[in-house]
């Protein structure tokens, strides 16, 4: 592809990464001059036109400012944002979940195209591979229309299950196609796992903060929650897990090892292995949400808990919703020793997953398109994440802290103490901006001055203006001037 470099990354994006690296390392400070086009052309080994394209893109995103006959400069802004404080509290006593109404309020923004999309986690459709997907879907419908009209087996389409197993094997998990159960998105996979493992009143360990849909599922199933703090840099610690299993009667755990939603935490590989061993000692199942694992910014994909599962106690759940086609609702669960129970739940709920969508995704994967698409998507999301962090440093009030994730597509912001994130949610929505308030990510009120922003929202003039306005709203909330 013209203009693409190694690994399928566009050359101008690689130049942009160099500038963002300079900003984050402090080599390029607010108001400072960026390397000239010729200097960057020599350093990056690309053409002047490529550097010009990169600088124009960074200017469009609000990172650089062009001054006639002087060159490009980093826009003025506040000091570099620091990371949110690391939590240190021990696991909390089991408690019922009571966040249903608040979570329902936040989920009303799903699919609302009138809002600037910082509220729903996931890449905007403009970052996805829609043209190829549409052609593949049209082809499978044309080539085998009768199959597309019929049910697949309850397990799912064999060709798709084979592709999912291959991908799991690539990062070290011992998975066969017959171990995979296809679902209608990751939420159905998680619902199946919890229905197969628990009864009302059981206690489940989660990291805190945790994905609000976990809490919604737990509340609907009448389960109690034990929260253990998650650090934005390393996630939940094995020591916290061990303390929880020693103190409480746990029925299962539900954890996100790779780029936890909302704090973006990535567990170190040795911590994943240790947590699997700790739970295996007590025969406690582990429900793993790995929907963001493919969206790593580093050179290799981080493994999931499933890699270290030797007793079938890890039930891995994932989907293509965050990487390929959210509207198609194609997910899966690898339920280990609980496969028969998972099948019983699937029989009693949706019976089977939509056939045409499974056929198209299986064909897309078989043609080798997915990895090329992921390389481009990861590059775009990393640039988006860095750009938004820079814009936050310009637009948000002093005292704002924000995570620096190594993958995924969310940023977790700690705002000055006077901000009520639910109040900010309503004020932002009235101005056409979607966000997620911190209180939906816990059963407690520990995150009332936090918000989650979607880094998958493409930064254009509308999104830039939305961030600027959101920063003003946050500043007014912090000052109590409403």
């Amino acid at each position: 592809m013209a203009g693409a470099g190694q690994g399928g990354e566009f050359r101008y994006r690689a130049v942009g990464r160099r500038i963002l690296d300079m900003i984050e390392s402090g080599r390029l400070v607010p108001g400072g001059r960026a390397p000239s086009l010729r200097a960057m052309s020599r350093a990056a080994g690309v053409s002047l036109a490529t550097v010009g394209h990169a600088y124009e893109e960074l200017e469009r995103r609000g990172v650089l400012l062009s001054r006639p006959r002087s060159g490009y400069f980093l826009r003025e802004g506040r000091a570099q944002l620091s990371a949110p404080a690391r939590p240190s509290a021990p696991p909390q006593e089991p408690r019922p979940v009571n966040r249903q109404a608040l979570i329902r309020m936040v989920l009303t923004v799903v699919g609302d195209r009138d809002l600037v999309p910082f509220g729903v986690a996931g890449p905007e459709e403009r970052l996805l591979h829609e043209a190829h997907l549409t052609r593949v879907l049209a082809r499978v419908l044309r080539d085998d229309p009768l199959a597309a009209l019929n049910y697949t087996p309850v397990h799912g389409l064999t060709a798709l299950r084979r592709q999912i197993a291959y991908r799991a094997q690539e990062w070290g998990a011992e998975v066969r196609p017959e171990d995979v159960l296809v679902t209608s998105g990751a939420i159905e996979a998680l619902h199946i796992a919890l229905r197969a493992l628990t009864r009302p009143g059981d206690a489940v360990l989660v990291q805190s903060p945790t994905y609000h849909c976990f809490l919604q599922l737990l509340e609907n199933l009448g389960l109690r929650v034990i929260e253990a703090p998650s650090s934005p840099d390393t996630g939940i610690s094995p020591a916290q897990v061990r303390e929880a299993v020693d103190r409480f009667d746990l029925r299962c755990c539900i954890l996100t090892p790779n780029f936890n939603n909302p704090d973006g935490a990535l567990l170190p590989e040795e911590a994943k292995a240790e947590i699997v061993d700790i739970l295996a000692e007590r025969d406690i199942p582990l429900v793993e949400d790995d929907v963001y694992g493919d969206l790593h910014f580093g050179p290799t994909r981080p493994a999931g808990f499933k890699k270290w599962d030797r007793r079938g106690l890890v039930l891995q759940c994932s989907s293509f919703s965050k990487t390929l086609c959210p509207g198609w609702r194609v997910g899966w669960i690898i339920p280990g020793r609980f496969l028969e129970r998972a099948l019983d739940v699937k029989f009693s709920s949706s019976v089977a997953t939509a056939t045409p969508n499974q056929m198209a995704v299986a064909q897309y994967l078989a043609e080798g398109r997915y990895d090329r698409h992921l390389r481009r998507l990861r590059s775009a999301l990393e640039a988006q994440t860095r750009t938004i962090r820079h814009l936050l440093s310009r637009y948000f009030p002093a005292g704002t802290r924000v995570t620096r994730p190594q993958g995924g597509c969310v940023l977790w912001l700690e705002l000055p103490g006077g901000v009520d994130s639910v109040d900010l949610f309503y004020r932002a929505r009235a101005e056409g901006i979607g966000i997620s308030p911190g209180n939906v990510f816990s059963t407690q009120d520990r995150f009332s001055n936090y918000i989650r922003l979607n880094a998958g929202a493409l930064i254009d003039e509308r999104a830039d203006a939305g961030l600027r306005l959101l920063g003003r709203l946050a500043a007014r909330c912090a000052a109590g001037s409403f």
Side-chain angles (χ1 to χ4, degrees), residues 118-405:
F118 290 121
V120 178
E124 268 198 67
E125 56 267 28
R126 288 177 287 177
L127 294 175
L128 300 177
H129 221 193
E130 81 289 343
H132 288 294
L133 283 169
T134 301
R135 287 197 290 270
V136 170
L137 178 60
R139 191 186 331 136
V140 298
L141 291 173
R142 183 185 64 241
D143 292 347
D144 200 349
L146 293 180
L149 291 175
N150 207 346
Y151 290 113
T152 63
V154 177
H155 285 80
L157 193 69
T158 300
L160 178 57
R161 293 160 58 212
R162 185 180 298 118
Q163 291 294 329
I164 292 168
Y166 288 163
R167 298 195 67 80
Q169 291 165 12
E170 287 177 354
W171 49 259
E174 297 178 3
V175 176
R176 305 165 301 169
E178 54 266 35
D179 299 327
V180 178
L181 172 59
V182 179
T183 62
S184 298
I187 290 297
E188 187 190 25
L190 293 162
H191 180 256
I192 288 172
L194 290 171
R195 282 272 309 277
L197 296 174
T198 65
R199 295 180 178 178
D202 286 343
V204 177
L205 177 69
V206 302
Q207 60 203 97
S208 180
T210 193
Y211 181 35
H212 54 68
C213 284
F214 296 171
L215 299 179
Q216 190 176 41
L217 283 171
L218 296 170
E219 184 169 355
N220 285 336
L221 294 172
L223 301 171
R224 295 177 300 146
V225 172
I226 298 166
E227 293 190 38
S230 170
S231 167
D233 46 5
T234 57
I236 187 172
S237 72
Q240 293 273 7
V241 175
R242 185 173 292 281
E243 182 177 357
V245 300
D246 286 344
R247 289 178 56 193
F248 308 117
D249 181 18
L250 288 181
R251 185 62 193 92
C252 69
C253 301
I254 178 167
L255 304 175
T256 304
N258 297 325
F259 319 120
N260 177 49
N261 182 357
D263 65 3
L266 173 63
L267 264 71
E269 301 295 276
E270 60 272 16
K272 296 172 187 173
E274 187 176 351
I275 287 171
V276 170
D277 288 344
I278 290 169
L279 296 175
E281 291 170 6
R282 306 292 183 93
D283 211 39
I284 297 173
L286 170 56
V287 180
E288 172 183 18
D289 176 37
D290 194 36
V291 296
Y292 295 105
D294 281 343
L295 297 181
H296 56 92
F297 299 158
T300 58
R301 188 201 195 280
F305 286 124
K306 196 70 179 175
K307 175 180 178 179
W308 291 277
D309 182 25
R310 299 293 177 263
R311 298 182 54 192
L313 285 167
V314 174
L315 298 84
Q316 188 187 62
C317 304
S318 191
S319 79
F320 295 104
S321 294
K322 305 302 182 185
T323 57
L324 195 59
C325 43
W328 287 13
R329 313 305 301 141
V330 178
W332 66 92
I333 179 172
I334 304 171
R337 69 163 75 164
F338 306 99
L339 178 60
E340 293 304 317
R341 289 194 215 171
L343 282 168
D344 287 342
V345 177
K346 178 72 174 178
F347 271 119
S348 67
S349 54
S350 62
V351 180
T353 304
T355 302
N357 300 350
Q358 291 189 65
M359 294 170 65
V361 172
Q363 183 63 33
Y364 184 88
L365 294 173
E367 293 176 1
R369 298 182 183 276
Y370 187 54
D371 284 315
R372 293 197 296 273
H373 162 67
L374 282 178
R375 285 193 291 271
R376 297 186 183 98
L377 179 60
R378 289 195 295 259
S379 175
L381 287 176
E382 183 178 15
Q384 290 273 116
T385 300
R386 290 180 167 194
T387 298
I388 293 173
R389 279 177 48 85
H390 175 70
L391 294 176
L392 293 173
S393 74
R394 292 178 53 205
Y395 299 150
F396 272 60
T400 299
R401 298 170 176 263
V402 64
T403 51
R404 185 177 291 177

